[in-house]
Amino acid sequence: MIFSTTILNRVVATSVVTASIALSPFFSAIAQAQTLNGAGATFPAPLYERYAREVRKKYPDMRINYQGIGSGGGIRQITAGTVDFGGSDAAMKDEEIAKVKNGVILVPTAGGAVSVVYNLPGVNDLKLSRKVLPEIFSGQITNWNDAKIKADNPGANLPDQTIKFAVRADSSGTTFIFTNHLSAISGYFKGRVGATTAPKWNLPNVLRGKGNPGVAALVGRTPGSIGYVEYGYAVQNNLKSALVQNKKGEFVAPSLQSSNAALATVSFPDNYRVFVGDPGQGYPIVGLTWMMVYKQYGNASKADAIKKWINWVLKDGQQYNDDLNYTKIPPSVVNRVLQTVNSTVKP
């Protein structure tokens, strides 16, 4: 996911700010109806920033504001009714869906990889096996020259240095994707940490960063550190990504191609909620991201604007996914989602 400006600046800023113009109440209502405010996951924030710019080429009167505050924040805001749409990399649970009084539809928009990033000067192409990776993040391995890491990396100049862990300070869908994979391949990790957006990391030397940008910044400036970020943040911040062992035993680097391979066999149920724990091929730490939209809005213009926005995202917007190294949603799934949105979203 390669961008023209730094992800840090792009994610924390809202996409579009409209000037206040004196209009009659009637025309003000129309203009306001075409402004949609969203908040949530930082994982897709660069993509949604691009969407917000591109959609105006087709619909000049449409304004999209999206703030990357983390998936947990996106779920909280859609539940509270303070946004027009939310963003999350962790699909809402049944009990969370039940709390949304106007109903909610989960709209898959993209997929991508979570990179295991590290800062070890002189060590390139670090390999982490299915046994070693969960042992590192469950605190069983705490030093870089541990024999188990060395066994995966013969000849590497691994330092006799304590591992520093960079994790998310906020409730995070990126964290869910990461811990969901580790829980799928390690019973010990599942029992000790589990698949969650906000784990209680019982680790020494923990550093906590806000959003993907915060974790990327921590790893970048902290020798001896390891963390996890959405792949594009690793690329943009020139961070080294480990090669992670998949179910086939292959050590695979994160990339668009390896993410597509992993997600190729995903089956979408009627509610489009998917949890990718341990794919059979490709890069193994992958997930999807969703926009969350209400089934019912306060007025017809808002409902129409939401449908126009989602239709654009899934028809026109998907062409930009590859540019930023996100996977696309399969056309067959797109058709199903749009049928759901167009028939369900009401004023």
Side-chain angles (χ1 to χ4, degrees), residues 78-79 85-86 92-94 96-107 271 291-297 340 344-345:
I78 199 76
T79 303
F85 67 94
M92 295 179 75
K93 301 175 183 176
D94 289 342
E96 292 172 330
I97 291 173
K99 293 178 182 178
V100 182
K101 67 177 183 178
N102 288 336
V104 66
I105 302 169
L106 303 184
V107 177
N271 62 4
M291 285 186 188
M292 302 168 288
V293 302
Y294 297 111
K295 293 181 178 180
Q296 185 172 9
Y297 284 84
T340 300
T344 305
V345 173

Side-chain angles (χ1 to χ4, degrees), residues 7 37 42 55 58 73 80 106 114 133 136 143 145-146 165 200 248 268 276 284 293 329 334:
I7 290 178
N37 296 310
T42 61
V55 72
K58 185 171 185 178
L106 303 184
V114 173
L133 181 59
I136 289 174
N143 198 289
N145 70 350
D146 186 281
F165 299 90
K200 295 180 179 178
K248 288 185 174 181
F268 288 80
V276 187
V293 302
I329 302 302
V334 166

Side-chain angles (χ1 to χ4, degrees), residues 4-27:
S4 60
T5 57
T6 64
I7 290 178
L8 180 59
N9 289 334
R10 293 177 60 186
V11 171
V12 299
T14 47
S15 303
V16 182
V17 179
T18 56
S20 176
I21 304 174
L23 296 169
S24 71
F26 174 76
F27 286 107

Side-chain angles (χ1 to χ4, degrees), residues 21 121 192 198 302:
I21 304 174
R192 187 176 179 86
K302 184 72 74 174

Side-chain angles (χ1 to χ4, degrees), residues 211-282:
N212 277 287
V215 174
L218 283 173
V219 173
R221 65 173 180 258
T222 310
S225 64
I226 188 170
Y228 56 90
V229 296
E230 186 273 326
Y231 171 56
Y233 291 83
V235 172
Q236 183 65 23
N237 288 276
N238 296 313
L239 300 175
K240 296 176 183 178
S241 292
L243 283 71
V244 179
Q245 190 178 34
N246 66 13
K247 187 178 284 188
K248 288 185 174 181
E250 303 163 333
F251 286 94
V252 185
S255 68
L256 177 60
Q257 181 179 5
S258 61
S259 298
N260 274 319
L263 292 170
T265 58
V266 168
S267 177
F268 288 80
D270 289 343
N271 62 4
Y272 313 112
R273 187 170 57 179
V274 174
F275 303 98
V276 187
D278 188 22
Q281 59 187 9

Side-chain angles (χ1 to χ4, degrees), residues 47-55 309 312-313 317-318 321:
L47 181 63
Y48 293 175
E49 171 94 10
R50 179 73 177 272
Y51 286 169
R53 293 200 311 272
E54 298 294 341
V55 72
W309 166 234
W312 184 91
V313 165
Q318 292 293 297
N321 289 29

Side-chain angles (χ1 to χ4, degrees), residues 265-347:
T265 58
V266 168
S267 177
F268 288 80
D270 289 343
N271 62 4
Y272 313 112
R273 187 170 57 179
V274 174
F275 303 98
V276 187
D278 188 22
Q281 59 187 9
Y283 181 76
I285 314 177
V286 292
L288 294 158
T289 194
W290 292 264
M291 285 186 188
M292 302 168 288
V293 302
Y294 297 111
K295 293 181 178 180
Q296 185 172 9
Y297 284 84
N299 57 68
S301 60
K302 184 72 74 174
D304 288 345
I306 281 289
K307 286 192 280 190
K308 184 189 293 185
W309 166 234
I310 296 300
N311 275 262
W312 184 91
V313 165
L314 292 182
K315 289 180 180 178
D316 300 51
Q318 292 293 297
Q319 66 183 295
Y320 304 108
N321 289 29
D322 281 356
D323 293 348
L324 301 179
N325 281 324
Y326 293 89
T327 65
K328 297 177 181 178
I329 302 302
S332 60
V333 179
V334 166
N335 292 335
R336 288 169 52 200
V337 175
L338 291 181
Q339 184 176 7
T340 300
V341 170
N342 293 332
S343 63
T344 305
V345 173
K346 305 289 185 184

